[in-house]
Amino acid sequence: MQLENKVALITGARRGIGRAIALKYAQNGADCVLIARSAPEELADEIRAFGRRALALAVDVADADAVETAVKNAVKEFGKIDILVNNAGINDDGLLIRMKLEQWQRVLNVNLSGAFYATKAVARPMLKAEGGRIINISSVIGQMGNAGQANYAASKAGLLGFTKSIAKELGSRGITVNAIAPGFISTDMTAELSDEAKTALLGQIPLGKLGEADDVAHLALFLASEGARYITGQTFNVDGGLVMD
Ligand code: NAI
């Protein structure tokens, strides 16, 4: 029970990596605020079945006012937020020449601005509490780049700079900020990959397979736990060895 009496807010919690993190946190004692475009009520019920409290909210993270209201409601309900996981993310791929302005803006608004809105909203209660954990879900694509994903790569690289800056701003108040860069994880997001693309990809992954959402959740649990109290401003890859420094 590494997160006993903690309250965690997870964005994009309805499925995939966000859902795995929420379940891992709840199994380890955390109460959970679950945000997604449509309220993740079924997940909230699963979490209540573990004896934890859960609040499911329908919020578009690209809507700054909606995010602020959601955080206020969460604090009203649970009294505090100890852990924020900025996980909500989308892709809308296309080569630069064909990429529409809306395609660029929507991906940046959800993946990068969404994290800014949520972080800004939780920073106040965390500063008051003199402690907190912020975990940003980036991507190996933000480190490597990828043809056809300029918008997604820019948003995920942006999250890494955001992570380091906020870690420097909030460190003196006991708040740690770290990023996770997953590689290719089996979720709805990667289900669209063609068999050819998957085979080519597997050839580049030393561990020779896609990851599971739970592989990311294990690290997210550690970063939220007491054992990670002296770690901030870092990026950790969960990618089967795809990216090595
Ligand atoms: P997914 O598509 O399975 O789930 C995304 C979740 O985000 C859903 O619950 C959806 O409702 C929510 N969401 C999307 N737009 C939202 C918005 N505007 N407001 C609120 N919630 C929103 O995706 P997956 O694979 O679980 O990805 C989660 C995160 O991990 C994303 O940030 C993604 O970029 C990142 N990631 C995923 C990788 C993968 O291989 N699956 C690899 C690297 C990073």
Side-chain angles (χ1 to χ4, degrees), residues 48-114:
R48 289 184 196 111
F50 299 140
R52 309 312 329 163
R53 293 180 297 171
L55 180 64
L57 301 171
V59 178
D60 178 354
V61 296
D63 178 341
D65 292 339
V67 172
E68 201 183 325
T69 304
V71 169
K72 277 196 183 134
N73 289 340
V75 172
K76 206 185 283 170
E77 181 93 5
F78 292 153
K80 59 175 183 169
I81 294 172
D82 301 293
I83 304 155
L84 166 68
V85 183
N86 283 311
N87 166 77
I90 54 168
N91 62 320
D92 190 353
D93 302 346
L95 294 172
L96 176 73
I97 293 295
R98 287 193 219 117
M99 188 173 286
K100 298 193 183 76
L101 182 59
E102 307 85 73
Q103 241 175 311
W104 170 266
Q105 283 173 337
R106 180 69 189 156
V107 171
L108 267 291
N109 286 346
V110 173
N111 297 5
L112 186 55
S113 301

Short mmCIF file of all heavy atoms in Angstrom, two decimals, residues 48-114:
data_model
loop_
_atom_site.label_atom_id
_atom_site.label_comp_id
_atom_site.label_asym_id
_atom_site.label_seq_id
_atom_site.Cartn_x
_atom_site.Cartn_y
_atom_site.Cartn_z
N ARG A 48 -13.96 1.68 -6.69
CA ARG A 48 -14.73 1.65 -5.44
C ARG A 48 -14.79 0.21 -4.90
O ARG A 48 -14.83 0.01 -3.69
CB ARG A 48 -16.14 2.20 -5.67
CG ARG A 48 -16.12 3.70 -5.90
CD ARG A 48 -17.53 4.29 -6.04
NE ARG A 48 -17.43 5.62 -6.62
CZ ARG A 48 -17.86 5.94 -7.85
NH1 ARG A 48 -18.46 5.05 -8.63
NH2 ARG A 48 -17.71 7.18 -8.30
N ALA A 49 -14.77 -0.75 -5.83
CA ALA A 49 -14.80 -2.17 -5.40
C ALA A 49 -13.54 -2.53 -4.60
O ALA A 49 -13.55 -3.48 -3.82
CB ALA A 49 -14.95 -3.08 -6.61
N PHE A 50 -12.43 -1.79 -4.80
CA PHE A 50 -11.22 -2.00 -3.97
C PHE A 50 -11.34 -1.29 -2.63
O PHE A 50 -10.38 -1.27 -1.86
CB PHE A 50 -9.96 -1.40 -4.62
CG PHE A 50 -9.58 -1.96 -5.94
CD1 PHE A 50 -9.11 -1.11 -6.94
CD2 PHE A 50 -9.66 -3.32 -6.21
CE1 PHE A 50 -8.73 -1.61 -8.17
CE2 PHE A 50 -9.29 -3.82 -7.43
CZ PHE A 50 -8.82 -2.96 -8.42
N GLY A 51 -12.47 -0.58 -2.41
CA GLY A 51 -12.63 0.16 -1.15
C GLY A 51 -12.03 1.55 -1.19
O GLY A 51 -11.89 2.21 -0.16
N ARG A 52 -11.66 2.02 -2.38
CA ARG A 52 -11.13 3.38 -2.51
C ARG A 52 -12.24 4.30 -2.99
O ARG A 52 -13.23 3.85 -3.58
CB ARG A 52 -9.98 3.46 -3.52
CG ARG A 52 -8.85 2.48 -3.39
CD ARG A 52 -8.24 2.30 -2.04
NE ARG A 52 -8.28 3.46 -1.17
CZ ARG A 52 -8.09 3.41 0.13
NH1 ARG A 52 -7.87 2.26 0.73
NH2 ARG A 52 -8.13 4.50 0.85
N ARG A 53 -12.05 5.60 -2.79
CA ARG A 53 -13.02 6.55 -3.33
C ARG A 53 -12.62 6.90 -4.77
O ARG A 53 -11.43 6.92 -5.10
CB ARG A 53 -13.04 7.83 -2.48
CG ARG A 53 -13.58 7.58 -1.08
CD ARG A 53 -13.59 8.85 -0.26
NE ARG A 53 -12.23 9.35 -0.06
CZ ARG A 53 -11.95 10.54 0.48
NH1 ARG A 53 -12.90 11.35 0.84
NH2 ARG A 53 -10.69 10.92 0.64
N ALA A 54 -13.62 7.21 -5.60
CA ALA A 54 -13.34 7.58 -6.99
C ALA A 54 -14.36 8.60 -7.46
O ALA A 54 -15.52 8.55 -7.09
CB ALA A 54 -13.37 6.36 -7.88
N LEU A 55 -13.86 9.54 -8.26
CA LEU A 55 -14.72 10.56 -8.85
C LEU A 55 -14.45 10.56 -10.35
O LEU A 55 -13.30 10.74 -10.77
CB LEU A 55 -14.34 11.92 -8.23
CG LEU A 55 -15.08 13.17 -8.67
CD1 LEU A 55 -16.56 13.08 -8.29
CD2 LEU A 55 -14.45 14.40 -8.02
N ALA A 56 -15.49 10.31 -11.16
CA ALA A 56 -15.32 10.26 -12.62
C ALA A 56 -15.87 11.55 -13.22
O ALA A 56 -17.03 11.91 -12.98
CB ALA A 56 -16.06 9.07 -13.18
N LEU A 57 -15.05 12.25 -14.00
CA LEU A 57 -15.47 13.54 -14.56
C LEU A 57 -15.25 13.57 -16.07
O LEU A 57 -14.21 13.11 -16.56
CB LEU A 57 -14.65 14.67 -13.92
CG LEU A 57 -14.76 14.82 -12.39
CD1 LEU A 57 -13.74 15.84 -11.89
CD2 LEU A 57 -16.17 15.24 -12.00
N ALA A 58 -16.24 14.13 -16.79
CA ALA A 58 -16.11 14.32 -18.24
C ALA A 58 -15.51 15.70 -18.47
O ALA A 58 -16.17 16.71 -18.21
CB ALA A 58 -17.48 14.21 -18.90
N VAL A 59 -14.28 15.72 -18.91
CA VAL A 59 -13.58 17.00 -19.12
C VAL A 59 -12.70 16.90 -20.35
O VAL A 59 -11.96 15.93 -20.51
CB VAL A 59 -12.66 17.33 -17.89
CG1 VAL A 59 -11.90 18.62 -18.11
CG2 VAL A 59 -13.46 17.40 -16.60
N ASP A 60 -12.75 17.91 -21.20
CA ASP A 60 -11.79 18.02 -22.30
C ASP A 60 -10.59 18.78 -21.74
O ASP A 60 -10.72 19.96 -21.37
CB ASP A 60 -12.43 18.78 -23.47
CG ASP A 60 -11.47 18.98 -24.63
OD1 ASP A 60 -10.27 18.64 -24.50
OD2 ASP A 60 -11.91 19.50 -25.67
N VAL A 61 -9.42 18.14 -21.67
CA VAL A 61 -8.27 18.81 -21.05
C VAL A 61 -7.80 20.03 -21.84
O VAL A 61 -7.04 20.85 -21.33
CB VAL A 61 -7.07 17.85 -20.82
CG1 VAL A 61 -7.40 16.76 -19.83
CG2 VAL A 61 -6.54 17.28 -22.11
N ALA A 62 -8.25 20.15 -23.08
CA ALA A 62 -7.89 21.33 -23.88
C ALA A 62 -8.76 22.54 -23.52
O ALA A 62 -8.57 23.62 -24.07
CB ALA A 62 -8.03 21.01 -25.36
N ASP A 63 -9.69 22.37 -22.61
CA ASP A 63 -10.58 23.45 -22.17
C ASP A 63 -10.11 23.91 -20.77
O ASP A 63 -10.39 23.26 -19.76
CB ASP A 63 -12.02 22.92 -22.13
CG ASP A 63 -13.03 23.95 -21.65
OD1 ASP A 63 -12.63 24.93 -21.00
OD2 ASP A 63 -14.23 23.73 -21.91
N ALA A 64 -9.38 25.03 -20.75
CA ALA A 64 -8.74 25.48 -19.51
C ALA A 64 -9.74 25.68 -18.37
O ALA A 64 -9.49 25.27 -17.23
CB ALA A 64 -7.98 26.78 -19.77
N ASP A 65 -10.89 26.28 -18.68
CA ASP A 65 -11.88 26.54 -17.63
C ASP A 65 -12.45 25.24 -17.07
O ASP A 65 -12.64 25.10 -15.86
CB ASP A 65 -13.04 27.41 -18.17
CG ASP A 65 -12.57 28.81 -18.50
OD1 ASP A 65 -11.51 29.21 -17.96
OD2 ASP A 65 -13.22 29.49 -19.31
N ALA A 66 -12.72 24.29 -17.98
CA ALA A 66 -13.27 23.01 -17.54
C ALA A 66 -12.28 22.27 -16.65
O ALA A 66 -12.66 21.64 -15.66
CB ALA A 66 -13.63 22.15 -18.76
N VAL A 67 -10.99 22.37 -16.99
CA VAL A 67 -9.96 21.69 -16.18
C VAL A 67 -9.90 22.33 -14.79
O VAL A 67 -9.86 21.63 -13.76
CB VAL A 67 -8.58 21.75 -16.87
CG1 VAL A 67 -7.47 21.24 -15.96
CG2 VAL A 67 -8.60 20.95 -18.17
N GLU A 68 -9.95 23.67 -14.75
CA GLU A 68 -9.87 24.36 -13.46
C GLU A 68 -11.07 24.00 -12.57
O GLU A 68 -10.92 23.72 -11.38
CB GLU A 68 -9.81 25.87 -13.69
CG GLU A 68 -9.22 26.58 -12.49
CD GLU A 68 -9.21 28.10 -12.64
OE1 GLU A 68 -9.02 28.58 -13.78
OE2 GLU A 68 -9.40 28.77 -11.62
N THR A 69 -12.25 23.97 -13.19
CA THR A 69 -13.46 23.60 -12.43
C THR A 69 -13.36 22.17 -11.92
O THR A 69 -13.71 21.88 -10.77
CB THR A 69 -14.70 23.75 -13.34
OG1 THR A 69 -14.72 25.08 -13.84
CG2 THR A 69 -15.99 23.46 -12.60
N ALA A 70 -12.85 21.27 -12.76
CA ALA A 70 -12.72 19.86 -12.35
C ALA A 70 -11.79 19.73 -11.16
O ALA A 70 -12.08 19.00 -10.20
CB ALA A 70 -12.21 19.02 -13.52
N VAL A 71 -10.68 20.45 -11.20
CA VAL A 71 -9.71 20.37 -10.09
C VAL A 71 -10.34 20.94 -8.81
O VAL A 71 -10.22 20.36 -7.73
CB VAL A 71 -8.39 21.08 -10.45
CG1 VAL A 71 -7.49 21.25 -9.22
CG2 VAL A 71 -7.66 20.30 -11.54
N LYS A 72 -11.07 22.06 -8.96
CA LYS A 72 -11.75 22.65 -7.78
C LYS A 72 -12.73 21.65 -7.18
O LYS A 72 -12.80 21.46 -5.97
CB LYS A 72 -12.50 23.92 -8.18
CG LYS A 72 -11.58 25.13 -8.22
CD LYS A 72 -12.37 26.43 -8.24
CE LYS A 72 -11.41 27.60 -8.35
NZ LYS A 72 -11.81 28.57 -9.34
N ASN A 73 -13.53 20.98 -8.05
CA ASN A 73 -14.51 20.00 -7.57
C ASN A 73 -13.82 18.83 -6.88
O ASN A 73 -14.31 18.32 -5.87
CB ASN A 73 -15.38 19.50 -8.72
CG ASN A 73 -16.34 20.58 -9.19
OD1 ASN A 73 -16.62 21.53 -8.46
ND2 ASN A 73 -16.83 20.45 -10.41
N ALA A 74 -12.69 18.42 -7.46
CA ALA A 74 -11.96 17.28 -6.88
C ALA A 74 -11.44 17.65 -5.49
O ALA A 74 -11.53 16.85 -4.55
CB ALA A 74 -10.80 16.88 -7.80
N VAL A 75 -10.91 18.85 -5.35
CA VAL A 75 -10.37 19.28 -4.04
C VAL A 75 -11.52 19.42 -3.04
O VAL A 75 -11.39 19.06 -1.87
CB VAL A 75 -9.56 20.60 -4.19
CG1 VAL A 75 -9.17 21.14 -2.82
CG2 VAL A 75 -8.31 20.37 -5.04
N LYS A 76 -12.67 19.92 -3.52
CA LYS A 76 -13.83 20.04 -2.64
C LYS A 76 -14.25 18.65 -2.13
O LYS A 76 -14.56 18.46 -0.97
CB LYS A 76 -14.99 20.68 -3.43
CG LYS A 76 -15.97 21.42 -2.51
CD LYS A 76 -17.17 21.94 -3.26
CE LYS A 76 -16.90 23.19 -4.07
NZ LYS A 76 -18.02 23.52 -4.97
N GLU A 77 -14.22 17.68 -3.04
CA GLU A 77 -14.67 16.32 -2.70
C GLU A 77 -13.68 15.58 -1.80
O GLU A 77 -14.05 14.96 -0.82
CB GLU A 77 -14.85 15.54 -4.02
CG GLU A 77 -15.33 14.14 -3.86
CD GLU A 77 -16.86 14.01 -3.95
OE1 GLU A 77 -17.53 15.03 -4.23
OE2 GLU A 77 -17.34 12.89 -3.75
N PHE A 78 -12.38 15.67 -2.15
CA PHE A 78 -11.37 14.84 -1.45
C PHE A 78 -10.43 15.65 -0.55
O PHE A 78 -9.57 15.07 0.11
CB PHE A 78 -10.53 14.06 -2.48
CG PHE A 78 -11.29 13.00 -3.23
CD1 PHE A 78 -10.89 12.60 -4.50
CD2 PHE A 78 -12.39 12.37 -2.66
CE1 PHE A 78 -11.58 11.61 -5.19
CE2 PHE A 78 -13.09 11.38 -3.34
CZ PHE A 78 -12.68 11.01 -4.61
N GLY A 79 -10.52 16.98 -0.60
CA GLY A 79 -9.72 17.82 0.30
C GLY A 79 -8.33 18.15 -0.18
O GLY A 79 -7.69 19.09 0.32
N LYS A 80 -7.80 17.43 -1.16
CA LYS A 80 -6.43 17.67 -1.63
C LYS A 80 -6.17 16.88 -2.90
O LYS A 80 -6.97 16.00 -3.26
CB LYS A 80 -5.44 17.21 -0.57
CG LYS A 80 -5.58 15.71 -0.24
CD LYS A 80 -4.52 15.24 0.72
CE LYS A 80 -4.64 13.74 0.96
NZ LYS A 80 -3.53 13.16 1.65
N ILE A 81 -5.07 17.19 -3.57
CA ILE A 81 -4.57 16.34 -4.66
C ILE A 81 -3.07 16.15 -4.42
O ILE A 81 -2.32 17.13 -4.38
CB ILE A 81 -4.82 16.96 -6.05
CG1 ILE A 81 -6.34 17.00 -6.31
CG2 ILE A 81 -4.14 16.13 -7.14
CD1 ILE A 81 -6.73 17.74 -7.54
N ASP A 82 -2.66 14.92 -4.21
CA ASP A 82 -1.25 14.64 -3.95
C ASP A 82 -0.49 14.33 -5.23
O ASP A 82 0.72 14.55 -5.31
CB ASP A 82 -1.11 13.41 -3.03
CG ASP A 82 -1.81 13.61 -1.70
OD1 ASP A 82 -1.34 14.46 -0.93
OD2 ASP A 82 -2.83 12.94 -1.45
N ILE A 83 -1.19 13.74 -6.19
CA ILE A 83 -0.51 13.22 -7.40
C ILE A 83 -1.32 13.63 -8.63
O ILE A 83 -2.54 13.45 -8.66
CB ILE A 83 -0.46 11.67 -7.36
CG1 ILE A 83 0.23 11.17 -6.08
CG2 ILE A 83 0.22 11.11 -8.61
CD1 ILE A 83 -0.21 9.76 -5.67
N LEU A 84 -0.62 14.19 -9.62
CA LEU A 84 -1.27 14.48 -10.91
C LEU A 84 -0.55 13.68 -11.99
O LEU A 84 0.68 13.75 -12.09
CB LEU A 84 -1.16 15.98 -11.24
CG LEU A 84 -1.49 16.36 -12.70
CD1 LEU A 84 -2.97 16.14 -13.00
CD2 LEU A 84 -1.10 17.81 -12.99
N VAL A 85 -1.30 12.97 -12.80
CA VAL A 85 -0.71 12.30 -13.96
C VAL A 85 -1.32 12.91 -15.22
O VAL A 85 -2.52 12.77 -15.49
CB VAL A 85 -0.96 10.78 -13.95
CG1 VAL A 85 -0.27 10.12 -15.14
CG2 VAL A 85 -0.47 10.16 -12.64
N ASN A 86 -0.50 13.64 -15.96
CA ASN A 86 -0.93 14.23 -17.23
C ASN A 86 -0.74 13.18 -18.32
O ASN A 86 0.34 13.04 -18.90
CB ASN A 86 -0.10 15.48 -17.54
CG ASN A 86 -0.53 16.67 -16.72
OD1 ASN A 86 -1.72 16.98 -16.64
ND2 ASN A 86 0.43 17.34 -16.09
N ASN A 87 -1.80 12.42 -18.56
CA ASN A 87 -1.72 11.28 -19.48
C ASN A 87 -2.56 11.48 -20.74
O ASN A 87 -2.26 10.87 -21.77
CB ASN A 87 -2.18 10.01 -18.73
CG ASN A 87 -2.46 8.86 -19.67
OD1 ASN A 87 -1.56 8.21 -20.17
ND2 ASN A 87 -3.74 8.63 -19.95
N ALA A 88 -3.61 12.31 -20.68
CA ALA A 88 -4.51 12.45 -21.84
C ALA A 88 -3.68 12.84 -23.07
O ALA A 88 -2.85 13.75 -23.01
CB ALA A 88 -5.57 13.50 -21.57
N GLY A 89 -3.90 12.14 -24.15
CA GLY A 89 -3.15 12.46 -25.35
C GLY A 89 -3.82 11.89 -26.58
O GLY A 89 -4.54 10.89 -26.51
N ILE A 90 -3.58 12.56 -27.70
CA ILE A 90 -4.13 12.10 -28.98
C ILE A 90 -3.04 12.20 -30.06
O ILE A 90 -2.03 12.90 -29.86
CB ILE A 90 -5.33 12.97 -29.44
CG1 ILE A 90 -4.95 14.46 -29.49
CG2 ILE A 90 -6.53 12.74 -28.53
CD1 ILE A 90 -5.97 15.34 -30.20
N ASN A 91 -3.26 11.52 -31.15
CA ASN A 91 -2.44 11.79 -32.33
C ASN A 91 -3.36 12.02 -33.52
O ASN A 91 -4.51 11.56 -33.52
CB ASN A 91 -1.44 10.65 -32.59
CG ASN A 91 -2.13 9.35 -32.87
OD1 ASN A 91 -3.12 9.01 -32.24
ND2 ASN A 91 -1.63 8.60 -33.83
N ASP A 92 -2.88 12.78 -34.47
CA ASP A 92 -3.62 13.04 -35.70
C ASP A 92 -2.55 13.25 -36.76
O ASP A 92 -2.12 14.36 -37.03
CB ASP A 92 -4.52 14.27 -35.52
CG ASP A 92 -5.48 14.44 -36.69
OD1 ASP A 92 -5.35 13.70 -37.69
OD2 ASP A 92 -6.34 15.33 -36.62
N ASP A 93 -2.09 12.12 -37.32
CA ASP A 93 -0.86 12.12 -38.10
C ASP A 93 -1.06 12.63 -39.53
O ASP A 93 -2.14 12.53 -40.10
CB ASP A 93 -0.29 10.69 -38.17
CG ASP A 93 -0.02 10.11 -36.79
OD1 ASP A 93 -0.01 10.87 -35.82
OD2 ASP A 93 0.22 8.89 -36.71
N GLY A 94 0.03 13.12 -40.09
CA GLY A 94 0.03 13.56 -41.49
C GLY A 94 1.38 14.19 -41.80
O GLY A 94 2.04 14.72 -40.90
N LEU A 95 1.78 14.07 -43.04
CA LEU A 95 3.05 14.71 -43.43
C LEU A 95 2.89 16.22 -43.36
O LEU A 95 1.79 16.75 -43.60
CB LEU A 95 3.43 14.26 -44.84
CG LEU A 95 3.78 12.76 -44.95
CD1 LEU A 95 3.96 12.36 -46.40
CD2 LEU A 95 5.03 12.42 -44.12
N LEU A 96 3.98 16.89 -43.04
CA LEU A 96 3.96 18.34 -42.85
C LEU A 96 3.23 19.08 -43.96
O LEU A 96 2.40 19.96 -43.71
CB LEU A 96 5.42 18.84 -42.77
CG LEU A 96 5.58 20.35 -42.66
CD1 LEU A 96 5.19 20.81 -41.28
CD2 LEU A 96 7.00 20.75 -42.98
N ILE A 97 3.56 18.73 -45.20
CA ILE A 97 3.01 19.42 -46.36
C ILE A 97 1.48 19.36 -46.38
O ILE A 97 0.81 20.27 -46.83
CB ILE A 97 3.59 18.76 -47.65
CG1 ILE A 97 5.08 19.03 -47.73
CG2 ILE A 97 2.87 19.20 -48.91
CD1 ILE A 97 5.45 20.48 -47.92
N ARG A 98 0.94 18.26 -45.84
CA ARG A 98 -0.51 18.07 -45.88
C ARG A 98 -1.18 18.36 -44.54
O ARG A 98 -2.40 18.27 -44.43
CB ARG A 98 -0.84 16.63 -46.30
CG ARG A 98 -0.59 16.40 -47.76
CD ARG A 98 -1.22 15.09 -48.22
NE ARG A 98 -0.30 14.46 -49.16
CZ ARG A 98 0.28 13.29 -48.97
NH1 ARG A 98 0.02 12.58 -47.90
NH2 ARG A 98 1.11 12.81 -49.86
N MET A 99 -0.38 18.69 -43.54
CA MET A 99 -0.96 18.85 -42.20
C MET A 99 -1.77 20.14 -42.11
O MET A 99 -1.26 21.23 -42.40
CB MET A 99 0.13 18.83 -41.13
CG MET A 99 -0.46 18.80 -39.73
SD MET A 99 0.80 18.59 -38.47
CE MET A 99 1.22 16.87 -38.69
N LYS A 100 -3.01 20.01 -41.69
CA LYS A 100 -3.88 21.19 -41.57
C LYS A 100 -3.57 21.90 -40.26
O LYS A 100 -3.18 21.26 -39.28
CB LYS A 100 -5.34 20.77 -41.60
CG LYS A 100 -5.75 20.10 -42.90
CD LYS A 100 -7.28 20.02 -42.98
CE LYS A 100 -7.72 19.31 -44.22
NZ LYS A 100 -7.55 17.83 -44.14
N LEU A 101 -3.83 23.19 -40.25
CA LEU A 101 -3.59 23.99 -39.04
C LEU A 101 -4.36 23.40 -37.85
O LEU A 101 -3.83 23.30 -36.75
CB LEU A 101 -4.02 25.44 -39.30
CG LEU A 101 -3.79 26.42 -38.16
CD1 LEU A 101 -2.31 26.51 -37.79
CD2 LEU A 101 -4.32 27.81 -38.53
N GLU A 102 -5.61 22.98 -38.11
CA GLU A 102 -6.43 22.44 -37.01
C GLU A 102 -5.82 21.16 -36.44
O GLU A 102 -5.92 20.89 -35.25
CB GLU A 102 -7.87 22.10 -37.46
CG GLU A 102 -8.63 23.21 -38.15
CD GLU A 102 -8.32 23.25 -39.63
OE1 GLU A 102 -8.78 22.36 -40.36
OE2 GLU A 102 -7.60 24.18 -40.05
N GLN A 103 -5.20 20.36 -37.34
CA GLN A 103 -4.57 19.11 -36.91
C GLN A 103 -3.41 19.42 -35.96
O GLN A 103 -3.22 18.77 -34.94
CB GLN A 103 -3.97 18.43 -38.16
CG GLN A 103 -4.50 17.08 -38.49
CD GLN A 103 -3.90 16.62 -39.81
OE1 GLN A 103 -3.88 17.35 -40.82
NE2 GLN A 103 -3.41 15.39 -39.83
N TRP A 104 -2.62 20.40 -36.34
CA TRP A 104 -1.48 20.84 -35.53
C TRP A 104 -1.98 21.37 -34.17
O TRP A 104 -1.52 20.95 -33.12
CB TRP A 104 -0.71 21.94 -36.29
CG TRP A 104 0.33 22.63 -35.45
CD1 TRP A 104 0.18 23.78 -34.75
CD2 TRP A 104 1.67 22.19 -35.21
NE1 TRP A 104 1.34 24.09 -34.08
CE2 TRP A 104 2.27 23.14 -34.35
CE3 TRP A 104 2.43 21.09 -35.64
CZ2 TRP A 104 3.59 23.03 -33.90
CZ3 TRP A 104 3.74 20.98 -35.19
CH2 TRP A 104 4.31 21.93 -34.34
N GLN A 105 -2.97 22.27 -34.26
CA GLN A 105 -3.41 22.95 -33.04
C GLN A 105 -4.10 22.02 -32.07
O GLN A 105 -3.87 22.08 -30.86
CB GLN A 105 -4.32 24.13 -33.38
CG GLN A 105 -3.49 25.30 -33.89
CD GLN A 105 -4.31 26.46 -34.41
OE1 GLN A 105 -5.47 26.27 -34.80
NE2 GLN A 105 -3.71 27.63 -34.45
N ARG A 106 -4.94 21.13 -32.56
CA ARG A 106 -5.69 20.24 -31.67
C ARG A 106 -4.73 19.32 -30.88
O ARG A 106 -4.88 19.14 -29.67
CB ARG A 106 -6.70 19.41 -32.47
CG ARG A 106 -7.54 18.46 -31.64
CD ARG A 106 -8.53 19.18 -30.74
NE ARG A 106 -9.19 18.26 -29.82
CZ ARG A 106 -9.74 18.60 -28.65
NH1 ARG A 106 -9.75 19.87 -28.26
NH2 ARG A 106 -10.30 17.70 -27.89
N VAL A 107 -3.74 18.76 -31.57
CA VAL A 107 -2.79 17.85 -30.90
C VAL A 107 -1.97 18.62 -29.86
O VAL A 107 -1.79 18.16 -28.73
CB VAL A 107 -1.89 17.13 -31.94
CG1 VAL A 107 -0.76 16.37 -31.25
CG2 VAL A 107 -2.74 16.16 -32.76
N LEU A 108 -1.51 19.82 -30.23
CA LEU A 108 -0.77 20.64 -29.25
C LEU A 108 -1.67 21.06 -28.08
O LEU A 108 -1.24 21.05 -26.93
CB LEU A 108 -0.19 21.90 -29.94
CG LEU A 108 1.23 21.83 -30.50
CD1 LEU A 108 2.27 21.76 -29.39
CD2 LEU A 108 1.46 20.69 -31.46
N ASN A 109 -2.92 21.38 -28.38
CA ASN A 109 -3.84 21.84 -27.33
C ASN A 109 -4.12 20.73 -26.31
O ASN A 109 -4.14 20.98 -25.12
CB ASN A 109 -5.18 22.30 -27.92
CG ASN A 109 -5.04 23.66 -28.61
OD1 ASN A 109 -4.03 24.35 -28.42
ND2 ASN A 109 -6.01 24.02 -29.41
N VAL A 110 -4.35 19.52 -26.81
CA VAL A 110 -4.66 18.41 -25.89
C VAL A 110 -3.39 17.96 -25.16
O VAL A 110 -3.34 17.91 -23.93
CB VAL A 110 -5.30 17.22 -26.65
CG1 VAL A 110 -5.45 16.01 -25.72
CG2 VAL A 110 -6.65 17.62 -27.23
N ASN A 111 -2.34 17.65 -25.93
CA ASN A 111 -1.17 16.98 -25.33
C ASN A 111 -0.31 17.92 -24.50
O ASN A 111 0.24 17.50 -23.48
CB ASN A 111 -0.29 16.36 -26.43
CG ASN A 111 -1.01 15.28 -27.22
OD1 ASN A 111 -2.21 15.04 -27.03
ND2 ASN A 111 -0.30 14.63 -28.12
N LEU A 112 -0.16 19.16 -24.94
CA LEU A 112 0.77 20.07 -24.24
C LEU A 112 0.01 21.11 -23.40
O LEU A 112 0.23 21.22 -22.19
CB LEU A 112 1.69 20.74 -25.26
CG LEU A 112 2.80 21.62 -24.71
CD1 LEU A 112 3.68 20.87 -23.71
CD2 LEU A 112 3.67 22.16 -25.85
N SER A 113 -0.90 21.84 -24.03
CA SER A 113 -1.64 22.85 -23.25
C SER A 113 -2.49 22.18 -22.18
O SER A 113 -2.62 22.71 -21.07
CB SER A 113 -2.54 23.69 -24.17
OG SER A 113 -1.74 24.33 -25.14
N GLY A 114 -3.04 21.00 -22.47
CA GLY A 114 -3.84 20.28 -21.48
C GLY A 114 -3.02 20.01 -20.22
O GLY A 114 -3.52 20.16 -19.10
#
